[in-house]
Amino acid sequence: MKKLLLPLALLAVPAALIAAPAANWVSRVVLSPIGGHAMGNPNAPTKLVEYVSYTCSHCAHFVDEASGPLKSDYVKGGKVSVEVRNAVRDRYDLTAALLARCGGPARFMGNHEALFANQTAWMPQIEAYDAATTQKPADQTAAMRDIGRKTGLYTLMAKRGFTDAQLDACVANPRSMKQILAMTDDAWNKVKIGGTPGFIVNGTLVKGSTWSILQAALPPAAR
């Protein structure tokens, strides 16, 4: 009879006093109205927007330095949400931006980080392609498929589980193209970022492009 007392006592504990596991907001990634990828708590008190270009070496350095702490120290607990938007600079960047969207929002952050992590491998191939290709396909979709196949971008995405047919469909997606170009116009002509990466924190443009400058712009409550 005594052995039953402990379980019965536990049953008497109010459910409200039993702590539920904390939400990990890093796993929540959705499309924003403009077409960016927003990670984190939609009700986060601090909202960060990042404008990036995949052919930008400063962006690759930022993502390498900031991605880990942003997710673990800011986004995970729900205090900060991060939205990644495109600020496209050239057709190579546009090709990479379209490929980053393959697989939908659930795959985006992994694709995004992989493109930057491997930038030093595929950027030299892009430079060589640009120098050597005098007859570029006239059709934009055909041109981007050619870029993807001959610069290592398709090879990188294949390692992430995508087939050539899937990648061809991604670079030909008119909805994705429209969203990327809308974000690009917003970045350069409306927000008027000074370069990439560019940041907005709670509606205010941050003057600077490094992790240390951005971190200083995040409110103390978000740390």
Side-chain angles (χ1 to χ4, degrees), residues 75-130:
V75 176
K76 182 178 179 180
K79 295 179 179 179
V80 176
S81 65
V82 178
E83 181 182 347
V84 178
R85 297 184 187 179
N86 300 103
V88 168
R89 306 188 305 172
D90 51 50
R91 63 201 182 111
Y92 304 112
D93 185 18
L94 177 59
T95 303
L98 286 162
L99 292 174
R101 302 169 82 85
C102 285
R107 299 294 306 274
F108 174 77
M109 288 298 175
N111 294 338
H112 168 77
E113 292 179 1
L115 283 162
F116 280 124
N118 292 275
Q119 190 192 73
T120 55
W122 56 263
M123 271 301 294
Q125 295 182 65
I126 279 181
E127 291 165 1
Y129 174 90
D130 192 60

Side-chain angles (χ1 to χ4, degrees), residues 32-211:
S32 71
I34 198 173
H37 286 82
M39 174 177 64
N41 180 3
N43 298 314
T46 300
K47 300 186 185 301
L48 165 65
V49 176
E50 297 177 16
Y51 290 94
V52 299
S53 163
Y54 289 105
T55 55
C56 161
S57 60
H58 297 294
C59 295
H61 177 75
F62 170 79
V63 170
D64 178 62
E65 183 178 20
S67 182
L70 263 176
K71 288 190 286 189
S72 63
D73 301 338
Y74 294 80
V75 176
K76 182 178 179 180
K79 295 179 179 179
V80 176
S81 65
V82 178
E83 181 182 347
V84 178
R85 297 184 187 179
N86 300 103
V88 168
R89 306 188 305 172
D90 51 50
R91 63 201 182 111
Y92 304 112
D93 185 18
L94 177 59
T95 303
L98 286 162
L99 292 174
R101 302 169 82 85
C102 285
R107 299 294 306 274
F108 174 77
M109 288 298 175
N111 294 338
H112 168 77
E113 292 179 1
L115 283 162
F116 280 124
N118 292 275
Q119 190 192 73
T120 55
W122 56 263
M123 271 301 294
Q125 295 182 65
I126 279 181
E127 291 165 1
Y129 174 90
D130 192 60
T133 309
T134 54
Q135 284 291 103
K136 301 177 176 69
D139 177 74
Q140 185 180 48
T141 298
M144 289 189 295
R145 286 174 176 169
D146 195 56
I147 289 168
R149 287 191 173 92
K150 295 179 180 177
T151 64
L153 288 171
Y154 271 31
T155 299
L156 169 62
M157 296 299 288
K159 292 177 181 177
R160 293 191 49 74
F162 295 99
T163 66
D164 280 3
Q166 289 173 318
L167 299 174
D168 282 347
C170 289
V171 298
N173 189 314
R175 182 169 179 263
S176 292
M177 176 73 76
K178 183 178 180 180
Q179 290 174 329
I180 290 169
L181 295 180
M183 288 185 281
T184 296
D185 179 65
D186 177 71
W188 298 118
N189 301 319
K190 297 173 185 176
V191 177
K192 296 187 183 299
I193 61 173
T196 52
F199 312 111
I200 296 176
V201 175
N202 285 347
T204 300
L205 182 64
V206 176
K207 295 182 179 180
S209 60
T210 65
W211 169 230

